[in-house]
Amino acid sequence: MADEKKYAAYICTGCGIGDRLDPSQMETIATREGKMQSCKQHEMLCSKEGVKMIQDDIDNEGVNHIMIAACSRRAKVEAFHFPTVAMTRANLREGVIWVRPEGDEHQETTQEMADDYIRMACAELRFITPPQPSGQQDLNKHILVVGGGVSGMSAALEAAAAGYPVTIVEKSGQLGGHAAQLHKRVPYRAPYDAPMETGIDALIKSVEENSDIEVLLNSSVAKTSGAPGRFEVEIATESGSSKTESFGAIIQASGFKPYDANQLPEFAYGKTPDVVTNLELEKLAKEAGDGPIKRPSDGKEVKSVAFIQCAGQRSDKEGHLPYCSGFCCTTSIKQALYFKDQNPGCDTTVLFTDLRTPGAPGEDFYRAGQKKEVTFTKGAVSEVTAGGDSLTVKFKDLILDEDTEMTCDLVVLATGQVPNSGPDPYAGMGETEEDLEATAEAEAAAAAGEAAPVEVSVESILNLDYRQGTDLPQLKWGFTDSHFICFPYETRRTGIYAIGPVRRPMDIQQARDDAAGGAMKAIQAAVHAAEGQAVHPRSGDLSFPTFRKEGCTQCKRCTVECPFGAINEDEEGYPVYNESRCRRCGTCMGACPVRVISFENYSVDSVGQQLKNVDIPDEFDEKPRILVLACENDAYPALDQAGMSGVEINPWARVIPVRCLGSVSLSWITDSLNSGFDGIVLMGCRKDDDYQCHFVKGSAMAHERMSKVGDTLESLNLEPERVAVYEVAITDIERAPKLINDMADTVEKVGMSPFKF
Amino acid sequence: MSDLNTAMIEKYRNSFLHEVEANVEEGEWVKMCMQCGVCSGSCPLGNAWEHPPQEIFMMIRAGKRDDVLSSDAMWMCTSCYNCIARCPRGLPITHIMHGLAHYAKRLGLAPKNQPTAKFAQLFWDNLMKKGRVNELKLGLSLYFMNGFGEGIKTALKMKNIGLGMLKTKRMSPAEAFGGHGVKDISGLHKMIKKAQELEDARIGQSAK
């Protein structure tokens, strides 16, 4: 790459841009104000000829910084793919002509909007450079799987099949996990009407026979350091010896612990051996083989059995699980059929409050149970008592609305799954900025030997040598944090993927599906790390944060606030960026009070210069300017779609996409107010427990930071209403433009900013 | 009939569900109910039911034999088929309701003075006379079902409709005297008798 920067602008006049706007005026702005060394127009820039024109300039003229004024940066990304140069895009189509009505009365403001976007794109271009891969790591195809149950073994087989060697670290002395304890499994093939063989032995055999899979039993992970592509993992074996191996990515399949039924004395668990959990029944069934299942107390053949669903689950009581484990209803049907298939005369009653049989086969299997005369009674069980030769189950019949009871030989408690997670790095910590600061201080104090760190009783699984704790962060109830629907296997530690019941309760079939997904993710992480590229959600991004050491005050905000724990600290307290752990959200950049953190193509300046280059009309022109900082993941696409659906956007708005609202620097707010903007609208993603923020905590951080912006406004003698922060979803096609209009109304009410020059 | 009832109780001591499966038309479907309650919510006469269908199915499974068979709930069914159309499990609910009502009547457990049951009997008796329904007589017997005074009152109330039907020849006063019938009425009676014997034998068999 030539050292000298050579700027070129390209204005597309297709898609109606040339008809609605004045291209020659924009060309003048690009060259005069934007200081572009050349500016070309094309009637269809994304066509073969248009792209060739740009590529020729890059190849022959030494152009290395290009500004494309055409459609949204989200459109035509394949056509406008010039990886070797720095590029900015001015959004004239979705951002201007599609959101503004036609007609002479609107022409002036529409053209002003387009002119500003040209100015902004030119200004941004001067402050970015094409990102270069860091080369911090080579391709390491070795995948570590922690846990040798169904999820772990399946993931290992999937990765090995793709040509990625795997090491399985299993805590116990054998593979198979809980699934190996099962007598049979819920059917996974049509016609879904009878329990099927588990197939675990075959699975174990195929793992053991696979030359690409190394199995380490009685082992655990003593220490994990590094980053995707270069994880250094110390594996401790039972004998006390340990070995360190290098891995490209890690899959955590630590599974679940069965719920401790001793917390259910009301169901007589522990008082009589004839009350068993669903896992214990599997053992009885396995012992019985094809013969009748005998009850533990006296070995009598079981003639009647009651299954109590949701035992210790879906309840707010202390010691109970608040959630549904999802597998227990089909498991109880399966177990009822153990009895029915052996002896159709056996009375089997499933006492449920809501029967949930997830998955396509679930309903068929439920029907199969009903056909074989398993009785399903909608009832809430209050008590189980043992007396004489039988057990009495007291329950409230929820259909007939009456208290009643039944007697039986055996009671099976459908107990749930408790995730086998390590200690939550953020346990007992609200994640507001103040809390984080307090934690940082406490940790600093602890490091200095002033106070002992809080004792954690839960055993760590990964023993991460990370700034932000030893294990994967959790969201709720001990399950690892990931967006449940949008990116299920992702965790908040890049290159480490959680699969199986450690991320949500599930059955064998779901765990196997999970394993395939997690293995693909792990492979992707290893490959991307080797290329220096980001993984989800900025997949392929080469840029990564660096900081200006001279300016750094070692405040540790970036290392504490990084949602992915990507940043470590060196001995002096300076941040140490691990490029392949980074998701490139820029939350560190938004956190930095001295603005020393930047990316090659995204920095405090690259955005700050955009807003400074918006032309602010004189106060008496009565043309306010509203700055919109929109998250590129949801809010910006929503605004783009507003254009596609013909929803109007206020002509005073100037929209700047940001990587995440978490990357918004407070200086942008003060700078824009100082330069005469009348209002500021910030649009991020939903931030609560059901968050939609692609960077998990970015939006929440931004909301927290902006809640303090009132002081800034006050010091400038400005009304606090001038800054508004919203949670916007990608579907808010009508709402997002309305929020901008609302700000325009507010500005009309409180008056123009006094800071116009 | 009460002998039959005793026999049935004796035979299905443990499971009313099995009794229903063996003896009630479409009774084998009862176990397939998943208690969603769509039938009860869909029934246009739901408010008039002592126990909506969902509850009846649950009561059968809970072994509440007397409560079910002596209930007048299933007699309220007007065969609108809303429940059948909507049942996600495809249960023939309307048919089960009629089957239950029929079974209860056979056992002598149907509620006394249940209007639907009464009307059904009137219909049957009327039909058996000539092999065809005599609508004029059936209408009159319905009016006088609850005594002479009420019959006169109802008849007066319906007077205009009746005259209108006469005028437009939708009803013939001649029907009051004998009325029309099938050609071979004794043949029909023989068929019905045979069917009755077969049904009695079936239930008798089942009761053993």
XYZ file of all heavy atoms in Angstrom, chain A residues 352 363 366-367 370-371 373 375-378 397 399-400 402, chain B residues 18 21 31-35 54-55 58-59 61-62 64 89:
266
model
N -49.868 -33.728 35.696
C -49.198 -32.568 35.110
C -50.004 -31.306 35.350
O -51.201 -31.362 35.625
C -49.016 -32.781 33.598
C -50.322 -32.782 32.827
C -50.778 -31.617 32.224
C -51.081 -33.930 32.718
C -51.977 -31.613 31.521
C -52.277 -33.925 32.020
C -52.731 -32.757 31.418
N -45.515 -34.459 20.155
C -46.962 -34.620 20.177
C -47.351 -36.041 19.764
O -48.269 -36.639 20.333
C -47.596 -33.579 19.247
C -49.083 -33.413 19.390
C -49.506 -32.849 20.738
O -48.664 -32.311 21.469
O -50.702 -32.971 21.059
N -46.729 -38.272 22.719
C -47.785 -38.045 23.713
C -49.019 -38.843 23.322
O -49.615 -39.574 24.133
C -48.069 -36.530 23.751
C -49.216 -36.053 24.618
C -49.733 -36.806 25.657
C -49.771 -34.792 24.390
C -50.769 -36.316 26.438
C -50.801 -34.296 25.164
C -51.307 -35.067 26.179
O -52.335 -34.589 26.950
N -49.377 -38.766 22.051
C -50.547 -39.485 21.553
C -50.347 -40.998 21.708
O -51.272 -41.721 22.070
C -50.740 -39.118 20.084
C -52.178 -38.985 19.696
C -52.292 -38.508 18.275
N -52.515 -37.073 18.203
C -52.000 -36.286 17.270
N -51.219 -36.761 16.351
N -52.276 -35.001 17.266
N -51.095 -41.890 25.156
C -52.545 -41.919 25.408
C -53.170 -43.178 24.822
O -54.025 -43.805 25.444
C -53.185 -40.677 24.787
C -52.875 -39.410 25.555
C -53.592 -38.204 24.957
O -53.487 -37.937 23.768
N -54.318 -37.471 25.772
N -52.711 -43.559 23.622
C -53.277 -44.759 22.970
C -53.028 -45.984 23.816
O -53.849 -46.873 23.887
C -52.652 -44.934 21.588
C -53.376 -44.134 20.536
C -53.107 -44.663 19.143
C -53.762 -43.733 18.135
N -52.801 -43.080 17.252
N -53.003 -46.062 26.838
C -53.766 -45.854 28.077
C -52.923 -45.404 29.259
O -53.176 -45.783 30.396
C -54.578 -47.101 28.432
C -55.616 -47.383 27.370
C -56.713 -48.312 27.832
O -56.493 -49.037 28.817
O -57.780 -48.279 27.216
N -52.639 -42.675 31.742
C -53.626 -41.675 32.132
C -52.933 -40.344 32.378
O -51.954 -40.289 33.119
C -54.360 -42.110 33.419
O -54.864 -43.414 33.204
C -55.488 -41.162 33.743
N -53.435 -39.321 31.745
C -52.877 -37.981 31.951
C -53.888 -37.171 32.741
O -55.001 -36.952 32.282
C -52.580 -37.319 30.607
C -51.444 -37.978 29.879
C -51.672 -39.019 28.994
C -50.141 -37.572 30.103
C -50.625 -39.643 28.342
C -49.081 -38.197 29.444
C -49.322 -39.227 28.566
N -53.491 -36.791 33.932
C -54.406 -36.063 34.802
C -53.839 -34.689 35.070
O -52.698 -34.558 35.525
C -54.589 -36.825 36.132
O -55.151 -38.102 35.842
C -55.495 -36.078 37.072
N -54.624 -33.675 34.761
C -54.162 -32.314 35.004
C -54.394 -32.018 36.469
O -55.534 -31.781 36.900
C -54.919 -31.329 34.109
C -54.306 -29.946 34.089
C -54.997 -29.096 33.017
C -54.681 -27.637 33.153
N -53.411 -27.221 32.581
N -57.259 -31.655 41.444
C -57.617 -31.845 40.038
C -57.961 -30.480 39.454
O -58.907 -29.828 39.885
C -58.804 -32.792 39.927
C -59.047 -33.215 38.493
O -59.082 -32.318 37.632
O -59.194 -34.428 38.242
N -58.924 -29.637 36.452
C -60.064 -29.531 35.537
C -61.353 -29.566 36.342
O -62.261 -28.767 36.149
C -60.049 -30.685 34.514
C -58.767 -30.663 33.698
C -61.268 -30.617 33.610
C -58.621 -29.505 32.767
N -61.421 -30.502 37.280
C -62.644 -30.645 38.067
C -62.636 -29.727 39.282
O -63.631 -29.643 40.000
C -62.809 -32.097 38.500
C -62.756 -33.096 37.332
C -62.905 -34.514 37.829
C -63.842 -32.778 36.307
N -61.086 -29.821 42.275
C -61.374 -30.446 43.572
C -60.113 -31.110 44.105
O -59.256 -31.546 43.338
C -62.495 -31.473 43.432
C -62.110 -32.613 42.509
C -63.224 -33.619 42.318
O -64.381 -33.286 42.607
O -62.924 -34.740 41.876
N -62.569 -47.807 30.925
C -62.688 -49.032 30.133
C -64.143 -49.325 29.815
O -64.474 -49.792 28.729
C -62.044 -50.197 30.878
C -60.546 -50.142 30.846
N -59.763 -50.506 31.905
C -59.707 -49.744 29.871
C -58.487 -50.333 31.591
N -58.430 -49.859 30.353
N -65.067 -47.123 27.031
C -64.433 -47.581 25.791
C -65.192 -48.744 25.188
O -65.391 -48.833 23.976
C -62.994 -48.025 26.073
C -62.102 -46.887 26.430
C -60.649 -47.154 26.040
O -60.297 -48.312 25.835
O -59.898 -46.168 25.943
N -59.776 -41.385 25.914
C -58.418 -41.310 26.466
C -57.510 -40.370 25.675
O -56.478 -39.942 26.155
C -57.796 -42.701 26.527
C -57.669 -43.374 25.164
C -56.902 -44.672 25.307
C -56.708 -45.360 23.959
N -57.704 -46.373 23.653
N -57.913 -40.046 24.442
C -57.060 -39.203 23.613
C -57.238 -37.709 23.888
O -56.534 -36.874 23.316
C -57.304 -39.481 22.130
C -56.992 -40.900 21.700
S -55.353 -41.442 22.171
C -54.357 -40.496 21.026
N -58.189 -37.375 24.729
C -58.389 -35.953 25.035
C -57.152 -35.397 25.734
O -56.590 -36.038 26.609
C -59.602 -35.779 25.934
S -59.730 -34.130 26.643
N -56.694 -34.226 25.308
C -55.503 -33.651 25.953
C -55.854 -32.435 26.802
O -54.987 -31.653 27.154
C -54.435 -33.314 24.920
C -54.862 -32.289 23.920
S -53.456 -31.915 22.856
C -54.094 -30.531 21.962
N -57.124 -32.301 27.113
C -57.543 -31.298 28.094
C -57.211 -29.869 27.700
O -56.876 -29.050 28.542
C -56.935 -31.605 29.465
C -57.423 -32.897 30.066
C -58.900 -32.885 30.355
O -59.472 -31.835 30.628
N -59.542 -34.014 30.252
N -64.885 -31.174 28.031
C -63.547 -31.372 28.585
C -63.648 -31.964 29.984
O -62.932 -32.889 30.352
C -62.834 -30.018 28.638
C -61.477 -30.069 29.294
C -61.002 -28.693 29.743
O -61.799 -27.743 29.811
N -59.733 -28.580 30.037
N -64.578 -31.433 30.754
C -64.733 -31.894 32.132
C -65.279 -33.319 32.152
O -64.858 -34.138 32.969
C -65.696 -30.945 32.848
C -65.173 -30.434 34.162
C -66.078 -29.377 34.743
O -65.849 -28.212 34.407
O -67.014 -29.710 35.497
N -62.544 -35.674 31.615
C -61.706 -35.777 32.813
C -62.415 -36.604 33.879
O -61.774 -37.398 34.576
C -61.419 -34.357 33.325
C -60.256 -34.278 34.271
S -58.705 -34.602 33.410
C -57.734 -35.152 34.799
N -63.736 -36.407 34.000
C -64.488 -37.159 35.015
C -64.494 -38.646 34.685
O -64.429 -39.491 35.578
C -65.933 -36.628 35.085
C -66.030 -35.248 35.723
S -67.590 -34.447 35.361
C -68.675 -35.272 36.518
N -62.109 -40.234 33.174
C -60.799 -40.766 33.552
C -60.636 -40.842 35.055
O -59.921 -41.686 35.565
C -59.701 -39.879 32.979
C -59.647 -39.929 31.478
C -58.351 -39.313 31.066
N -58.496 -38.524 29.861
C -57.608 -37.646 29.458
N -56.555 -37.395 30.204
N -57.774 -36.992 28.330
N -61.302 -39.931 35.761
C -61.192 -39.928 37.220
C -62.147 -40.937 37.839
O -62.229 -41.030 39.053
C -61.460 -38.529 37.757
N -65.503 -41.034 37.792
C -66.733 -40.504 38.401
C -67.948 -41.001 37.603
O -68.623 -40.240 36.913
C -66.673 -38.985 38.411
C -65.553 -38.464 39.293
C -65.559 -36.948 39.286
C -64.515 -36.388 40.216
N -64.851 -36.562 41.639
N -57.222 -32.689 18.515
C -56.918 -34.109 18.538
C -57.896 -34.920 17.690
O -57.820 -36.140 17.636
C -56.958 -34.610 19.987
C -55.649 -34.424 20.715
C -54.612 -35.338 20.085
N -53.282 -35.056 20.577
C -52.807 -35.539 21.718
N -53.546 -36.282 22.481
N -51.588 -35.255 22.073
